[in-house]
Amino acid sequence: MFARSLIIVAALAVATPALATQSPGASPATTADPSAIAPVEAAAAEFEVRMDLMGEELFEAAVQHPADDARYLAAVDTILRRYQPDVDRFLAVTETYLTAQAAAAPDDEARAAIAVDVQAIRTTLNGFLPGIRTGLAEARSQATAAR
């Protein structure tokens, strides 16, 4: 249950903060247009659903392999590979949106602020599934040591 909750919380934390608000250096002219951000909101909602499903699958893997760490981690790796396209898709949608926002930004300072947001989102999402894998492996190792 812990792993599932961790994944859901992480997915929600990653999903939209930089997208829902304008960048600190951005001017009011770059504030999100509701029709422009709609695809990002839809992608975030889909991402949340997919991450919830992934969390359920990861929980089931733990249930199916309670004493076999190697099989459990192999199942985790298979599950994470299956959900990588969802992370990639969400990243592509957010980058497309923010690239358009940067193009419409009134000055270099606003464009730079958006570029920082893009890089932060890219770094976070590219590390998202590996971070889950690392966390689950560490949790499993601690649980095994406690037995």
Side-chain angles (χ1 to χ4, degrees):
M1 190 58 129
F2 170 74
R4 182 174 181 270
S5 298
L6 175 68
I7 292 162
I8 293 167
V9 168
L12 290 172
V14 169
T16 56
L19 304 172
T21 61
Q22 94 185 29
S23 302
S27 74
T30 62
T31 301
D33 163 355
S35 66
I37 201 165
V40 178
E41 291 172 340
E46 179 183 346
F47 183 72
E48 182 179 348
V49 168
R50 295 292 295 158
M51 294 303 100
D52 189 34
L53 291 172
M54 182 181 73
E56 291 173 13
E57 288 185 38
L58 290 169
F59 178 76
E60 281 303 311
V63 169
Q64 290 175 4
H65 306 290
D68 188 337
D69 293 348
R71 291 182 88 189
Y72 167 68
L73 292 175
V76 166
D77 290 339
T78 298
I79 292 165
L80 295 178
R81 273 192 304 275
R82 191 169 45 251
Y83 285 90
Q84 184 63 53
D86 297 293
V87 175
D88 296 341
R89 212 172 6 262
F90 182 62
L91 178 57
V93 170
T94 59
E95 284 184 328
T96 297
Y97 170 77
L98 289 172
T99 300
Q101 290 297 298
D107 56 42
D108 289 340
E109 185 179 336
R111 282 186 286 285
I114 294 169
V116 168
D117 288 345
V118 169
Q119 187 56 46
I121 290 168
R122 185 180 300 131
T123 299
T124 300
L125 287 175
N126 285 335
F128 182 60
L129 295 181
I132 289 171
R133 204 282 185 198
T134 299
L136 292 176
E138 288 174 1
R140 186 64 173 241
S141 177
Q142 289 173 1
T144 299
R147 286 186 215 154

